[in-house]
Amino acid sequence: MEKSLARYIWSNTRLQQLWILAVVALSMVPYFLSFDLPKQIVNGPIQGSGFEGEGATQTFMHLSYTFPLIGKVEFFQGIQLGREQMLMALSLVFLALVVLNGLFKFYINTYKGRLGERMLRRIRFQLIDRVLRFPPNHFKRVKSAEIATMIKDEVEPMGGFTGDAFVSPALLGGQALTALAFIIVQNFWLGMIAAAIVGVQAVVIPRMRKRLLELGRQRQLTARELSGRVGEIVDGIGTIHGNDTSNLERADIAARLGLIFSIRYDLYQWKFLVKFLNNFLAQVTPFLFYAIGGYLALQGRLDIGQLVAVISAYKDLPGPLKELIDWDQMRQDVQVKYQQVYEQFNVEPLIDDSIHKVAIEDVAALAAPIVVTNLAVSDDSGAKLIDHVSVEIKPNETVAVVGPNSSGAEAFAEALGRVVWPNSGRITIDGKDLLELPESVSGRRISYASSDLYFFQGTLRDNLLYGLKHAPLKDPEYDEQTAQEAKWHAAEAIKAGNPTLDPNSDWVDYRAAGATGPGDILTAMRPALDAVLITEDILDLALRSTVDTHVHTKLAEHIVDLRAALREKMQQSELGNIVVPFDFDSYNAQATVGENLLFGSMKRPIMNNRRLAAHPYFQTLFRETGLSNDLYAMGLEIAENAVELFHDLPPDHPFFQQLTFMTADDIPTYQALLQKLSSRKFDDATPEERSAIIRLSFAYIEPRHRFGLLTDELTAKIVSARKQFHENIPDDLAAVIERYDPEHFISSASLMDNVLFGRIAYQRADASESIRSIMVGLFETLDLFDDVLSIGLEFDVGSGGKRLTMVQRQKLNLARTLLRRSDYIILNRPLSALDQRVQDQITNNLVNELHHEGERPAIVWVLSNARLAALFDRILLFDRGSLVEAGNFPELSEQNGMFKELLS
């Protein structure tokens, strides 16, 4: 990186800066003419100078120039105009100059803005590019929030300064010097007064602003540290709550905010002091002009036109001068910020550019062994993690790496995966250093997975396929307008020094996963997902998800077949009629009162329970059918029963899990409400109180809660109200409520609800699991398994994959590694969150099933359970950073060595 911001800007925008400087120089001509014109108007047509005689005229627009050697050359003789005509002509010229000066400013400012934004884009990209090239150990010493703040916020002023770096001093300095020169030409002493004031402003104000720069630097550092601290709180929220240190964090944040406040308060004081002095000096000059210039005019030593011109010219002097002083402060400020950015990002050694070169073509398989020679690795404190280890890992062999904690086994795997860099020694493949191999080779032919994982915000599918997105392989299909926009963006990217790679292209290398394209990628995924035992989890996510019927048309078309097949399978099994189907003409006893009344699914978040209850049509229906009073009375009974049964139970009692309509925290609220509503009359309650009581009845299920509140008469009234509701439903409600239809797919309901089309009876606790098993079999039978799996893969994993459990994240990480089908697979205790039984099963799956005919990758696995080493061809035993034993399982288990101790 360039150490000087000015040099960095000049080296990247030299031609553009020269062009805009030429435009600025050209703009000074009409700018100067606009100063002289008011004097000509006042002295000429207004005061009559040159128009003394009756009918006198003057020449307008006479253009001539005297050239050396050639003499005077006349370009235009001009035209003769009278006094009034001359007044109008000069006024129009003045207007034209105003417009021309405005157009110059518009062009210059627009050009500067575009230039600045391009430079901002360039520097941000280069900083992110450098982050991608940082050595691995550097990330242990930096905070991600601070890096993000610097790239996002702290370089922002540099973009604005880029356009002003050379243009502003030229433009503003030119304008100020032009105005000052014009004043001196009109009257020397007035010019000297203006020059003296300008000199004071140019010397005093920048010196006072040095304190502002220091305060600004402190503010920037403290704000960046605050950002990093907030990021730590978010990442470590579990640790904070687990150790009762939330108040410690509050105290720390309060102290940091107090420091920032004191810095900013001091900054404001200095800022407005400088502003006051600058404004005072700017206003003193007109006072001197009026006093001294007026005196000279009274003495006849200065004509009125000159005084007006001087005052008019001075109006254009403080503005450019103030902006020039501001520019100088901005220059120093951004240089300080750039220096900090330079220090933060000027990291050595960086990963070489050639390592990250885009490779669209296929990469040849690695047929040579990995040779580790005299490898030594240390941590940041200098402690040896691996001490001069030499070993060779052949293609196609499986190697178990075992050892006690801190044995060096993990560091050995990290070195093979390029997660850490050796202090000495080498890791080579076919004579080439592993660190010098392009990532297009190491990132495709060598896969690494550990328990230290990360998932980007997006779907399961995106994260699974992330390891296949190496280069744009297929251009997106754009319409004509979008294609033109893409070309414009590509051209701008080149001007800003950015790559022209299109993120909307298809980057997935389907062939690397054993697929031919998007159509059969799920088939290629299935073995990897099954091997790590995550398929069932993805299917569960699918069953709980809503389905886009425009994408999954096949599933929507077969929903009726699925429902019928499920009923048939349940009848053949012991489940029988465990699912009570929805019927428009009858009440479903296993569904809530609210579900029975609505008999449909709401399109959330457009419509929810609160909005539906507040809708005029819904309220009118309640009043006309008398359900308001019935459900209010029912809600009172529910509240009384719940309060009586559960008021003296602790909040964490398991009985509260059965209450779908009330939490432990609601008990005191309803207890107080019941005392207030002792009359039990509907009219005595406020609308809010009625709503709180009726809400309880909406969640009531008779077989589950068993309060005996649902009579045949009330259920018949609910079914009747349901029919009336759907018969006259207004268009706005019909658009957000999908009625249950046995012949159609309900897009706003989950897949599970669509297939069931009813509610499971509460008599059997394991009914849901049994039904899920039947559904999975039906998906396979009806050739819908891939469609359902695809729905589960559309689940958004959240920031860092935190919507998944740690077990699911580790399984998914391992599946992503396997999907790439690399030649060498390095696994560094990737399943630490799983229980030993599941770890053993997955290890067996991978070692035994991954090595099928034609595909036998080398596997290097750091094991938590030494007994699993029996599955591997060779065993490497580490202790205290050294390779102490090596051999196969029978050999090492028979020796009285350390490996035998690990097995015992």
Side-chain angles (χ1 to χ4, degrees):
M1 289 182 70
E2 288 282 0
K3 196 169 184 178
S4 167
L5 178 61
R7 193 180 300 117
Y8 177 82
I9 293 172
W10 181 255
S11 63
N12 287 293
T13 62
R14 185 186 302 108
L15 295 177
Q16 293 89 342
Q17 297 286 358
L18 290 173
W19 164 253
I20 198 64
L21 286 172
V23 175
V24 167
L26 184 62
S27 71
M28 291 298 105
V29 177
Y31 188 71
F32 182 86
L33 293 176
S34 66
F35 287 149
D36 189 59
L37 203 55
K39 183 186 77 171
Q40 294 183 34
I41 294 173
V42 172
N43 289 343
I46 293 178
Q47 290 191 333
S49 177
F51 293 97
E52 288 78 5
E54 185 177 349
T57 61
Q58 283 189 357
T59 304
F60 176 71
M61 289 291 290
H62 177 245
L63 303 176
S64 63
Y65 189 78
T66 302
F67 293 94
L69 302 176
I70 299 176
K72 184 177 182 180
V73 176
E74 188 173 65
F75 298 102
F76 183 59
Q77 294 181 353
I79 56 177
Q80 298 298 314
L81 297 177
R83 187 171 177 178
E84 292 182 359
Q85 293 171 323
M86 181 63 76
L87 175 64
M88 295 306 299
L90 291 176
S91 297
L92 289 173
V93 171
F94 181 79
L95 178 62
L97 288 174
V98 169
V99 172
L100 185 59
N101 284 326
L103 290 174
F104 267 113
K105 284 184 178 180
F106 174 76
Y107 179 80
I108 292 169
N109 288 330
T110 303
Y111 195 91
K112 285 195 307 180
R114 186 166 64 247
L115 190 62
E117 288 303 314
R118 280 180 186 159
M119 180 56 70
L120 181 60
R121 179 177 178 177
R122 177 188 295 271
I123 192 171
R124 278 177 170 161
F125 177 81
Q126 289 186 352
L127 293 180
I128 294 172
D129 177 71
R130 294 183 79 85
V131 170
L132 292 171
R133 293 165 55 204
F134 280 170
N137 64 331
H138 185 72
F139 290 99
K140 299 175 183 178
R141 300 191 291 269
V142 297
K143 297 177 182 177
S144 58
E146 291 187 12
I147 293 291
T149 298
M150 294 184 76
I151 294 174
K152 174 181 170 289
D153 297 325
E154 294 185 20
V155 301
E156 182 87 26
M158 299 176 198
F161 179 73
T162 297
D164 294 327
F166 302 100
V167 175
S168 284
L171 176 62
L172 299 172
Q175 289 177 343
L177 288 174
T178 300
L180 188 59
F182 180 80
I183 293 172
I184 293 173
V185 169
Q186 304 307 311
N187 185 278
F188 178 78
W189 294 111
L190 293 179
M192 289 299 100
I193 291 171
I197 298 296
V198 167
V200 172
Q201 287 179 282
V203 173
V204 175
I205 301 301
R207 288 180 179 273
M208 293 184 68
R209 282 183 166 169
K210 286 186 178 180
R211 174 63 178 164
L212 289 176
L213 290 174
E214 175 59 24
L215 289 171
R217 187 185 70 84
Q218 293 178 19
R219 178 180 64 176
Q220 180 180 333
L221 287 173
T222 52
R224 187 193 308 160
E225 289 170 358
L226 176 66
S227 176
R229 195 72 188 88
V230 172
E232 284 185 325
I233 289 174
V234 172
D235 292 337
I237 192 67
T239 303
I240 293 170
H241 290 320
N243 292 280
D244 186 27
T245 54
S246 58
N247 289 312
L248 173 65
E249 299 302 334
R250 289 186 178 96
D252 179 63
I253 292 298
R256 291 174 184 272
L257 293 175
L259 178 60
I260 292 174
F261 171 79
S262 63
I263 293 171
R264 292 174 70 93
Y265 182 68
D266 199 6
L267 183 68
Y268 286 135
Q269 285 184 307
W270 270 93
K271 177 181 177 181
F272 290 113
L273 176 62
V274 171
K275 199 169 186 178
F276 162 75
L277 183 59
N278 197 24
N279 290 337
F280 174 74
L281 292 174
Q283 296 303 319
V284 164
T285 310
F287 158 74
L288 297 175
F289 281 177
Y290 284 120
I292 299 173
Y295 175 77
L296 293 174
L298 294 175
Q299 293 293 317
R301 296 161 61 185
L302 183 68
D303 62 57
I304 299 299
Q306 286 178 313
L307 181 58
V308 171
V310 166
I311 294 172
S312 176
Y314 182 76
K315 287 180 181 178
D316 291 318
L317 181 60
L321 186 63
K322 178 180 178 299
E323 290 182 32
L324 195 58
I325 294 173
D326 290 341
W327 171 87
D328 184 62
Q329 182 187 0
M330 183 192 295
R331 178 188 64 81
Q332 297 180 57
D333 186 38
V334 296
Q335 180 59 45
V336 169
K337 291 181 178 178
Y338 181 79
Q339 187 64 33
Q340 292 176 353
V341 170
Y342 172 82
E343 292 170 359
Q344 187 76 30
F345 287 86
N346 191 40
V347 177
E348 296 295 340
L350 284 177
I351 297 173
D352 192 82
D353 271 339
S354 61
I355 301 294
H356 290 169
K357 186 178 179 181
V358 177
I360 297 177
E361 64 279 358
D362 291 337
V363 177
L366 297 177
I370 295 179
V371 180
V372 180
T373 308
N374 209 25
L375 180 69
V377 176
S378 302
D379 62 16
D380 286 350
S381 68
K384 284 287 183 68
L385 301 177
I386 300 178
D387 189 11
H388 299 93
V389 169
S390 297
V391 70
E392 181 177 314
I393 299 169
K394 298 181 178 64
N396 307 324
E397 79 167 329
T398 59
V399 180
V401 183
V402 296
N405 291 332
S406 303
S407 63
E410 295 91 343
F412 177 71
E414 288 174 348
L416 293 179
R418 302 210 308 189
V419 177
V420 298
W421 289 0
N423 295 87
S424 63
R426 298 180 72 202
I427 303 175
T428 59
I429 299 178
D430 197 19
K432 299 175 183 176
D433 195 305
L434 180 64
L435 295 180
E436 295 176 0
L437 285 177
E439 282 192 0
S440 59
V441 176
S442 64
R444 302 183 193 186
R445 309 316 307 175
I446 301 174
S447 293
Y448 173 84
S450 72
S451 58
D452 183 14
L453 48 86
Y454 190 84
F455 291 106
F456 295 96
Q457 178 114 31
T459 65
L460 273 170
R461 183 195 301 271
D462 293 336
N463 280 282
L464 265 174
L465 297 179
Y466 188 77
L468 299 173
K469 298 178 180 180
H470 311 298
L473 301 177
K474 182 181 179 182
D475 293 334
E477 296 180 0
Y478 290 136
D479 56 39
E480 186 175 349
Q481 180 180 352
T482 309
Q484 291 299 323
E485 291 177 359
K487 287 181 181 178
W488 181 85
H489 283 296
E492 279 296 316
I494 294 172
K495 292 175 183 177
N498 287 194
T500 56
L501 302 174
D502 190 346
N504 295 316
S505 300
D506 192 347
W507 287 64
V508 179
D509 186 358
Y510 297 103
R511 285 194 297 177
T516 59
D520 61 346
I521 188 63
L522 283 176
T523 305
M525 283 183 183
R526 280 285 298 276
L529 298 177
D530 291 342
V532 300
L533 309 179
I534 199 175
T535 306
E536 187 176 334
D537 293 345
I538 297 175
L539 291 175
D540 283 344
L541 292 174
L543 289 172
R544 295 195 296 268
S545 301
T546 56
V547 180
D548 186 347
T549 53
H550 296 96
V551 176
H552 303 281
T553 54
K554 183 179 179 183
L555 185 61
E557 290 169 357
H558 285 77
I559 191 63
V560 177
D561 298 334
L562 263 172
R563 290 168 182 166
L566 179 64
R567 298 284 185 275
E568 183 180 345
K569 284 286 185 183
M570 286 194 300
Q571 289 296 334
Q572 294 172 1
S573 71
E574 59 183 12
L575 294 174
N577 295 321
I578 197 70
V579 175
V580 180
F582 289 124
D583 184 350
F584 190 65
D585 295 320
S586 63
Y587 186 93
N588 190 319
Q590 302 296 336
T592 66
V593 171
E595 287 175 321
N596 272 284
L597 182 60
L598 186 62
F599 199 78
S601 176
M602 290 182 285
K603 296 181 179 179
R604 302 176 186 271
I606 302 172
M607 177 56 68
N608 55 37
N609 295 338
R610 190 178 298 275
R611 291 176 183 170
L612 179 62
H615 197 280
Y617 175 72
F618 196 77
Q619 292 179 342
T620 302
L621 176 70
F622 257 49
R623 286 194 300 269
E624 291 178 351
T625 58
L627 277 177
S628 295
N629 291 289
D630 293 332
L631 295 184
Y632 177 77
M634 183 178 178
L636 283 174
E637 291 286 345
I638 293 172
E640 287 176 349
N641 282 304
V643 169
E644 181 180 352
L645 291 172
F646 304 114
H647 74 280
D648 55 350
L649 294 181
D652 57 349
H653 198 283
F655 281 177
F656 284 110
Q657 297 176 8
Q658 300 299 318
L659 286 183
T660 57
F661 45 75
M662 190 183 297
T663 65
D665 295 334
D666 292 332
I667 295 291
T669 304
Y670 279 99
Q671 197 169 13
L673 191 57
L674 288 172
Q675 292 175 356
K676 183 179 178 182
L677 300 175
S678 57
S679 68
R680 303 179 64 87
K681 292 182 179 179
F682 181 83
D683 295 333
D684 291 345
T686 65
E688 292 77 14
E689 292 167 346
R690 293 174 197 161
S691 177
I693 295 296
I694 292 175
R695 182 179 65 83
L696 298 178
S697 65
F698 275 21
Y700 183 76
I701 303 172
E702 184 63 59
R704 181 173 185 174
H705 302 120
R706 300 179 183 179
F707 290 163
L709 301 177
L710 276 175
T711 64
D712 292 341
E713 182 183 355
L714 182 56
T715 56
K717 185 179 284 190
I718 291 172
V719 172
S720 176
R722 167 206 300 173
K723 294 179 178 180
Q724 187 175 337
F725 174 79
H726 284 286
E727 183 179 351
N728 303 309
I729 188 170
D731 293 340
D732 61 330
L733 279 182
V736 293
I737 296 176
E738 281 188 278
R739 176 176 160 179
Y740 291 146
D741 188 337
E743 300 298 322
H744 292 91
F745 196 93
I746 305 155
S747 60
S748 57
S750 69
L751 177 59
M752 182 80 168
D753 286 344
N754 267 285
V755 179
L756 283 178
F757 196 72
R759 289 291 176 260
I760 302 172
Y762 290 94
Q763 285 82 354
R764 284 191 55 171
D766 62 341
S768 295
E769 294 301 323
S770 301
I771 291 172
R772 276 192 174 89
S773 299
I774 293 175
M775 283 185 181
V776 172
L778 290 175
F779 294 148
E780 291 277 18
T781 303
L782 297 175
D783 194 24
L784 297 172
F785 193 92
D786 283 353
D787 290 80
V788 177
L789 190 67
S790 179
I791 295 168
L793 290 172
E794 290 167 9
F795 179 77
D796 191 326
V797 301
S799 175
K802 292 179 181 177
R803 293 187 69 196
L804 301 175
T805 65
M806 178 55 75
V807 169
Q808 290 172 332
R809 292 204 292 272
Q810 290 191 353
K811 288 181 177 180
L812 186 66
N813 184 47
L814 188 53
R816 177 168 64 184
T817 303
L818 299 177
L819 190 60
R820 219 162 42 227
R821 302 198 309 173
S822 301
D823 302 313
Y824 287 91
I825 298 176
I826 317 297
L827 303 176
N828 189 1
R829 303 193 199 273
L831 304 171
S832 58
L834 281 66
D835 64 62
Q836 197 59 55
R837 181 185 59 81
V838 180
Q839 285 193 46
D840 295 353
Q841 186 177 351
I842 293 176
T843 307
N844 271 286
N845 290 345
L846 266 60
V847 175
N848 294 326
E849 297 178 16
L850 200 62
H851 280 199
H852 51 77
E853 187 177 353
E855 292 178 17
R856 185 179 167 84
I859 300 177
V860 180
W861 197 320
V862 180
L863 296 171
S864 300
N865 181 6
R867 294 185 177 278
L868 289 173
L871 300 170
F872 292 79
D873 301 332
R874 190 152 55 108
I875 301 168
L876 303 178
L877 175 61
F878 281 80
D879 185 39
R880 298 179 183 179
S882 298
L883 178 60
V884 294
E885 294 181 17
N888 58 40
F889 188 85
E891 292 173 353
L892 296 182
S893 58
E894 291 176 2
Q895 297 174 3
N896 292 323
M898 189 173 179
F899 182 72
K900 193 170 184 178
E901 293 178 10
L902 289 176
L903 293 177
S904 60

